[in-house]
Amino acid sequence: MARKKIIAGNWKMNMTPSQAVELINTLKPLVVNEDVDVVFCVPAIDIIPAIEAAKGTNIVIGAENMYFEEKGAFTGEISPEMLTDAGVKYVIIGHSERREYFAETDETVNKKVLKAFEHGITPIICCGETLTQREQGVTIDFIRQQIKIAFLNVTASQAASAVIAYEPIWAIGTGKVATTKQAQEVCKAIRDCIAEIYDAETAEAIRIQYGGSVSASSAPELFAQPDIDGGLVGGASLKPDFGKIVCYNK
């Protein structure tokens, strides 16, 4: 069975609640594509108004982060139950900005992945290398390490339903895009790594996105690659152009 493409917008720290509703209302008619799962991952304060605004559409709302404890004295954190109760279906875990600015590690990413599965939330698990790592030829080794630790104690059936987002750090928000060949090469290596951890069937089922300055012009070629199953889109997801990315095949 062919994997259904999944295109997710990562809003990052943008959009007030009222702006979120306005943006969703603008994008609603532009992101209709039955061949694609469409996810908007929004700031925590925007989740409830975004879910209301997206009702009756093909847009599913996701979160940008989640803590790995159920509840307790963790000021400022969001629990998995808070997300599920609000109606969240996806959560971005381990984005490079979370790792860089908020001290997330491969180990905390793994804890969050396990907790997301426990609560029926699909994790979008991010991985990606820096420019130095790419230039030194350690990209695949580094990403394999990120993947292997992220999937520690994750079952094969859970893994099959996960989403992995490959985002070369040097291409995020820079306007630089990995070449189609570079993106496909790493996404294939990720799939091969999943096959090693689990089996070919699990690797065939898992969806792998490319992220990093995806645009309406680069999307069709990227998404046509055999191991790229859509995109995690940053800046462009805040504009009407996101509709062209979602409808890349039309």
Side-chain angles (χ1 to χ4, degrees), residues 163-243:
V163 178
I164 297 173
Y166 166 55
E167 294 200 307
I169 295 167
W170 48 272
I172 298 173
T174 58
K176 291 181 182 176
V177 184
T179 66
T180 305
K181 188 181 172 191
Q182 286 171 326
Q184 162 59 21
E185 179 191 21
V186 178
C187 290
K188 182 181 188 304
I190 293 168
R191 201 175 301 285
D192 291 345
C193 186
I194 294 293
E196 279 176 39
I197 301 169
Y198 301 103
D199 50 44
E201 191 182 1
T202 307
E204 192 55 37
I206 200 165
R207 295 191 287 181
I208 303 171
Q209 300 173 314
Y210 170 75
S213 301
V214 175
S215 66
S217 58
S218 66
E221 192 182 335
L222 283 165
F223 300 164
Q225 300 309 300
D227 291 294
I228 301 178
D229 304 312
L232 183 59
V233 182
S237 70
L238 300 169
K239 301 170 186 159
D241 247 23
F242 188 57

Side-chain angles (χ1 to χ4, degrees), residues 20-195:
V21 171
E22 194 179 334
L23 179 59
I24 288 171
N25 286 333
T26 300
L27 288 173
K28 271 181 199 176
L30 306 177
V31 295
V32 178
N33 185 351
E34 289 174 3
D35 302 327
V36 171
D37 285 336
V38 181
V39 185
F40 290 3
C41 294
V42 307
I45 199 168
D46 295 345
I47 286 170
I48 288 170
I51 282 172
E52 282 299 312
K55 268 187 182 161
T57 74
N58 63 318
I59 299 165
V60 175
I61 301 301
E64 295 180 14
N65 185 32
M66 180 197 83
Y67 200 51
F68 51 75
E69 296 288 357
E70 299 287 336
K71 59 175 76 170
F74 306 105
T75 302
E77 290 295 331
I78 306 288
S79 76
E81 194 177 8
M82 291 173 187
L83 295 182
T84 53
D85 191 63
V88 165
K89 305 290 188 205
Y90 292 86
V91 60
I92 297 172
I93 292 178
H95 191 280
S96 61
E97 288 154 5
R98 297 287 322 165
R99 295 176 192 254
E100 184 182 352
Y101 306 133
F102 305 106
E104 291 204 5
T105 64
D106 291 340
E107 287 73 20
T108 59
V109 166
N110 175 240
K111 285 183 179 182
K112 291 182 179 190
V113 167
L114 292 170
K115 191 54 75 171
F117 280 125
E118 201 180 305
H119 285 266
I121 305 170
T122 301
I124 298 174
I125 304 159
C126 298
C127 60
E129 82 283 14
T130 64
L131 190 56
T132 305
Q133 287 162 336
R134 175 157 283 278
E135 286 172 346
Q136 294 307 310
V138 297
T139 295
I140 303 296
D141 292 337
F142 179 71
I143 284 167
R144 281 171 59 84
Q145 177 182 314
Q146 287 185 312
I147 295 299
K148 287 194 169 189
I149 298 173
F151 281 85
L152 195 63
N153 298 320
V154 172
T155 68
S157 63
Q158 287 173 332
S161 69
V163 178
I164 297 173
Y166 166 55
E167 294 200 307
I169 295 167
W170 48 272
I172 298 173
T174 58
K176 291 181 182 176
V177 184
T179 66
T180 305
K181 188 181 172 191
Q182 286 171 326
Q184 162 59 21
E185 179 191 21
V186 178
C187 290
K188 182 181 188 304
I190 293 168
R191 201 175 301 285
D192 291 345
C193 186
I194 294 293

